[in-house]
Amino acid sequence: PDPGLMGPHTVIKAEYNLGDTSYTPPAAAMFPAKMEERGCVHYPSDLSAGPYPVVIWLHGQHDVCYDSVTLVSSTSVWPCPAGKKPILSYEGYDYAAKVLASHGYIVISVSANAVNTRSNSLSDYAMNARGVLMQHHLDLWNTWNTTGGAPFGTTFVGALNLQDVGTMGHSRGGE
């Protein structure tokens, strides 16, 4: 069958946002600032049929904030200053995430706006920081899969097969 067509599962989307500066990466990340813990998840509505394999997705290098009146965007600072709104690049793959989830995957898309503000000034263009950020989100999901917790309660306990994880990314998110 055409893998671009919707599969047999009804899909639900949920967002999570634990804060724009809530994660302090370890020294090994070689990243000089706090990062956001924000993302979205697309998943089959019948989680009791799991555990489902996991796909974690990271967007590429893009502007991070915009002015909702002038629509001018910027990559210069994170979190966004007063009067600016974050660009939700992690939602750019909703169309693909929905299709994958309909075929029985739990698809997590991670925000990396904090990384994008500084990546051009780092010798590795923040590749290490991106990997550390993705691992941190997988650690969050391990907790939500094992014991639950805010913001999902026990919704995802036992639903993710964290022994079967695929990573995907666009541009610098895939490097």
Side-chain angles (χ1 to χ4, degrees):
D2 183 345
L5 297 177
M6 294 297 287
H9 299 276
T10 302
V11 176
I12 297 174
K13 177 186 176 184
E15 303 264 340
Y16 61 100
N17 182 354
L18 306 179
D20 287 337
T21 57
S22 55
Y23 173 54
T24 302
M30 300 179 292
F31 191 76
K34 292 182 177 185
M35 300 178 191
E36 73 268 33
E37 293 174 298
R38 181 189 297 228
C40 64
V41 59
H42 288 79
Y43 59 96
S45 61
D46 183 10
L47 290 176
S48 66
Y52 294 102
V54 175
V55 174
I56 186 165
W57 203 318
L58 188 64
H59 62 82
Q61 178 77 23
H62 303 286
D63 286 350
V64 300
C65 302
Y66 74 100
D67 183 303
S68 62
V69 176
T70 66
L71 301 181
V72 172
S73 62
S74 165
T75 304
S76 61
V77 65
W78 183 260
C80 297
K84 309 284 183 180
K85 295 185 177 193
I87 295 174
L88 307 177
S89 293
Y90 65 91
E91 291 186 330
Y93 306 107
D94 281 359
Y95 67 98
K98 185 174 181 180
V99 172
L100 284 170
S102 78
H103 286 281
Y105 293 87
I106 293 181
V107 184
I108 302 157
S109 187
V110 174
S111 179
N113 283 343
V115 174
N116 284 348
T117 62
R118 291 174 174 81
S119 64
N120 285 337
S121 66
L122 299 172
S123 63
D124 71 345
Y125 297 103
M127 292 302 108
N128 192 42
R130 284 180 172 84
V132 166
L133 180 63
M134 288 181 76
Q135 183 59 55
H136 174 68
H137 279 265
L138 285 171
D139 292 343
L140 289 171
W141 280 96
N142 184 54
T143 298
W144 295 329
N145 186 54
T146 306
T147 60
F152 299 118
T154 58
T155 299
F156 291 100
V157 171
L160 288 79
N161 178 352
L162 290 170
Q163 301 303 308
D164 192 0
V165 176
T167 58
M168 295 171 46
H170 165 252
S171 191
R172 284 194 188 167
E175 285 184 338

